[in-house]
Amino acid sequence: MRILQALKKFRFPNVYVLILIVFISCALLICINFFTIKILSATRAYVNGESHYSKGQKDASRHLITYLYTKDPKQWKLYLEEIEVPQGDGIARITLLKAGDNQIARRGFLIGRNHEEDLDDVIWVFDNFKNVSFLSKAIDEWGQGDDLIFKLFIIGQQINAKIKHNLLTTADQHKYLKEISSISDLLTVKERNFSNTLGEGTRKIKDLLIITNVVFTLIIICSVCLYYSIMVKRLLISKKETEVKNENLALANRELDRFVYSASHDLRSPITSLQGLIELTALEDDVNQIRDYLKLMHQSLARQDQFISDIIDYSKNKRKQIVIEPVSLKELFNEAISQLMHIENANKIKFTQELLVDEIESDGFRLRIIICNLLSNAIKYADNSKQEMIISIKSYKNEDVNQIEISDNGIGINDEYKDSIFEMYFGTNKNKGSGLGLYIVKEAVENIKGNISVISENKIGSRFIVTIPNPNGI
Ligand code: ADP
């Protein structure tokens, strides 16, 4: 029971929130991986493109130098073919920087011998990340490289013009060779810088990707574990609840068996005695004796009536829902007293009331059962050998609960019976009751989550104290 309560007290996070977390984490993970792979693939394409750029520039330089010294037009043609490669990349770069037509950029990249299938990623990365530090640095190096390519192109034009007009001198050849070599050296530095910057960026992206993957995977694993632990705990709770319900059911079954057995016996006994009395009356001629028999018959019927009414209370108390409503204790006491006045000696008893609390919020039906049974016992077990028979009724507030007290100076309860009086069918005098009264009272008190205690002394009297909790405690 304690484990069940402890488990119940544990507040579960909503499982739907966990499912949502897992769903969002998975979606984010897929997106992050998709875009990172796209970026990495584009970066690889850029590095690839750079190697074509570099090769094109170097071959162009080589063919130009050969042309410079051999004046072979074939070399000039080859030069023009190779210089186109870095120039194509340059056109693409300028177009993308100006946010121009992507088709022109594509054509430029194709001239730069980039693979057609890489172009979408290459352009997408340029468009979206050109301002990201590593890419903007790489583009800057690329731009400086393009300036050098342009210079190489101008030198080529000058050499070609001089060769065509037969104006090229040996001094010119030396000068141009020097210029081409120096441009080529500078371009090698720029190309290396470009590749290194991209490589650095790629490594950073890879590290970031690993961290995000680990974080999101951990979030997903934790959420799934929490989800399963919640489900297992819920299962445990429902298993415990089922066990408790089964136990209660078995208890109720045993109680019902006992109830049916005793009820059938107790219902029959007044009928049997009634039959006997009728037979005796039929044989009797003495009117006074007949009157005595009739009185006994009346008592048997009253007992039967009381027993049936106890059974009805018992059944209603078991089934009826708790209804919290404003209840007047004063009204309940007065109503009960007037209903119980038919009990023998009731009119000889002095009732005193000291009600410090009247209107309370509780279950009126249960309170009526409790008050009626306690008052009826106080009347039934009054001690008519005493000079004055008194029943005192009290109500008061004790801390944050209300209490009622019903005391009498009746016959009191023997110490040996005190532990049994709340049991089903326990009664010391079967002529006075069914033995169900205090059992029903105890059940009714438990239904409103209250408490009942008794102080009694044989031949002195008894005091029953009922604690009625606040409705929000029920
Ligand atoms: P019953 O129908 O026999 O009165 P209850 O369950 O109401 O059954 O009470 C059980 C027993 O407790 C009674 O038989 C009686 O012995 C004892 N009892 C209850 N209330 C009082 C009381 N106010 N004074 C003395 N005895 C009492």
Side-chain angles (χ1 to χ4, degrees):
M1 238 4 221
R2 215 173 288 162
I3 303 169
L4 186 63
Q5 272 164 5
L7 280 173
K8 266 186 178 169
K9 268 186 197 157
F10 177 78
R11 265 184 72 83
F12 292 117
N14 193 332
V15 282
Y16 296 110
V17 174
L18 289 177
I19 292 171
L20 197 70
I21 291 174
V22 172
F23 183 77
I24 292 173
S25 303
C26 286
L28 281 175
L29 208 58
I30 291 168
C31 288
I32 289 169
N33 275 301
F34 173 78
F35 287 116
T36 315
I37 289 167
K38 209 168 155 71
I39 292 170
L40 290 177
S41 148
T43 319
R44 177 202 47 78
Y46 272 111
V47 173
N48 212 25
E50 184 276 324
S51 77
H52 286 300
Y53 182 102
S54 167
K55 190 171 176 301
Q57 167 265 314
K58 282 194 173 53
D59 285 350
S61 300
R62 187 165 50 82
H63 291 306
L64 189 61
I65 291 167
T66 318
Y67 180 55
L68 182 67
Y69 284 94
T70 62
K71 297 173 186 154
D72 180 359
K74 225 172 103 194
Q75 291 298 323
W76 173 247
K77 215 177 138 225
L78 286 169
Y79 155 77
L80 286 178
E81 273 174 24
E82 291 305 322
I83 196 94
E84 258 195 348
V85 175
Q87 278 178 333
D89 285 333
I91 291 167
R93 180 183 62 82
I94 291 163
T95 316
L96 290 174
L97 273 179
K98 287 181 185 159
D101 185 357
N102 276 359
Q103 284 309 317
I104 298 174
R106 284 181 87 90
R107 243 175 283 133
F109 278 129
L110 284 174
I111 295 169
R113 293 182 185 148
N114 290 283
H115 199 286
E116 196 168 357
E117 281 179 21
D118 288 338
L119 296 189
D120 285 339
D121 288 350
V122 164
I123 293 171
W124 177 79
V125 163
F126 199 107
D127 277 346
N128 293 290
F129 300 97
K130 57 177 174 280
N131 295 324
V132 174
S133 77
F134 84 96
L135 200 61
S136 102
K137 207 171 145 201
I139 292 170
D140 194 43
E141 295 287 343
W142 182 4
Q144 289 175 30
D146 283 350
D147 292 344
L148 291 168
I149 292 291
F150 184 67
K151 273 186 192 164
L152 188 67
F153 177 74
I154 297 294
I155 290 169
Q157 293 301 318
Q158 287 171 358
I159 292 171
N160 188 38
K162 285 205 173 183
I163 289 175
K164 273 202 174 150
H165 296 104
N166 234 342
L167 295 172
L168 190 75
T169 63
T170 318
D172 285 336
Q173 282 178 327
H174 287 318
K175 188 187 91 177
Y176 285 132
L177 177 65
K178 237 175 128 184
E179 279 179 14
I180 294 168
S181 305
S182 119
I183 287 173
S184 199
D185 289 346
L186 282 172
L187 270 166
T188 308
V189 175
K190 296 292 158 203
E191 286 153 7
R192 197 185 305 135
N193 286 350
F194 179 83
S195 291
N196 287 347
T197 316
L198 282 184
E200 224 172 88
T202 318
R203 278 190 291 281
K204 275 188 191 158
I205 290 174
K206 185 197 80 185
D207 290 346
L208 214 68
L209 182 66
I210 291 173
I211 293 170
T212 26
N213 268 291
V214 168
V215 170
F216 278 104
T217 312
L218 281 177
I219 291 174
I220 293 169
I221 291 173
C222 290
S223 306
V224 170
C225 287
L226 203 61
Y227 176 81
Y228 274 107
S229 72
I230 288 170
M231 283 320 198
V232 168
K233 273 186 184 128
R234 285 196 176 165
L235 269 176
L236 270 175
I237 286 179
S238 71
K239 192 177 156 234
K240 289 267 167 209
E241 276 175 351
T242 318
E243 278 171 15
V244 170
K245 275 183 189 155
N246 280 345
E247 272 171 30
N248 288 344
L249 215 61
L251 201 79
N253 266 342
R254 280 200 297 277
E255 210 172 68
L256 198 70
D257 283 349
R258 240 185 94 205
F259 178 78
V260 171
Y261 171 79
S262 305
S264 56
H265 176 263
D266 286 8
L267 275 172
R268 288 200 61 203
S269 77
I271 296 171
T272 320
S273 66
L274 213 59
Q275 274 172 336
L277 286 169
I278 290 168
E279 277 165 24
L280 284 174
T281 314
L283 300 172
E284 193 58 60
D285 295 326
D286 179 3
V287 177
N288 287 334
Q289 192 59 41
I290 290 174
R291 277 209 185 100
D292 283 348
Y293 288 151
L294 283 174
K295 198 177 165 199
L296 288 172
M297 281 183 214
H298 182 260
Q299 277 172 4
S300 269
L301 283 173
R303 234 172 46 233
Q304 182 84 328
D305 184 50
Q306 179 60 45
F307 187 62
I308 290 169
S309 119
D310 280 353
I311 290 174
I312 291 168
D313 276 354
Y314 167 84
S315 155
K316 279 192 189 162
N317 187 38
K318 276 241 179 272
R319 273 156 197 70
K320 212 170 171 271
Q321 285 278 324
I322 298 281
V323 182
I324 300 299
E325 56 194 345
V327 185
S328 161
L329 291 175
K330 196 178 165 72
E331 274 175 27
L332 281 184
F333 280 121
N334 289 337
E335 197 184 294
I337 293 170
S338 62
Q339 272 174 17
L340 298 168
M341 281 319 273
H342 67 274
I343 301 176
E344 207 182 340
N345 292 330
N347 51 357
K348 295 181 194 155
I349 297 172
K350 183 180 164 199
F351 290 90
T352 67
Q353 289 192 26
E354 194 186 320
L355 302 179
L356 302 181
V357 174
D358 177 16
E359 289 276 344
I360 61 165
E361 290 281 322
S362 192
D363 182 288
F365 174 75
R366 265 74 186 191
L367 280 185
R368 191 168 289 114
I369 288 182
I370 296 166
I371 289 172
C372 272
N373 277 289
L374 292 181
L375 274 179
S376 112
N377 280 350
I379 299 170
K380 280 190 300 184
Y381 303 108
D383 187 352
N384 53 15
S385 67
K386 284 186 183 147
Q387 215 174 28
E388 193 176 32
M389 294 183 281
I390 303 170
I391 294 177
S392 117
I393 297 160
K394 285 183 187 168
S395 75
Y396 48 87
K397 211 172 168 66
N398 190 355
E399 291 180 359
D400 60 341
V401 293
N402 293 311
Q403 286 188 316
I404 54 173
E405 250 185 56
I406 296 176
S407 324
D408 60 65
N409 63 345
I411 59 171
I413 303 167
N414 232 315
D415 279 349
E416 57 180 310
Y417 300 140
K418 274 183 191 159
D419 291 338
S420 319
I421 54 172
F422 291 102
E423 283 172 16
M424 193 187 236
Y425 291 117
F426 178 84
T428 49
N429 188 338
K430 280 287 166 189
N431 282 330
K432 292 207 170 181
S434 60
L436 277 175
L438 286 182
Y439 175 78
I440 298 170
V441 167
K442 198 176 128 247
E443 287 225 318
V445 170
E446 279 168 4
N447 279 345
I448 57 167
K449 304 271 186 301
N451 186 32
I452 182 162
S453 60
V454 57
I455 303 165
S456 182
E457 220 175 304
N458 202 14
K459 297 197 174 117
I460 304 286
S462 312
R463 175 147 50 116
F464 286 85
I465 304 153
V466 179
T467 304
I468 306 163
N470 278 322
N472 38 14
I474 296 178

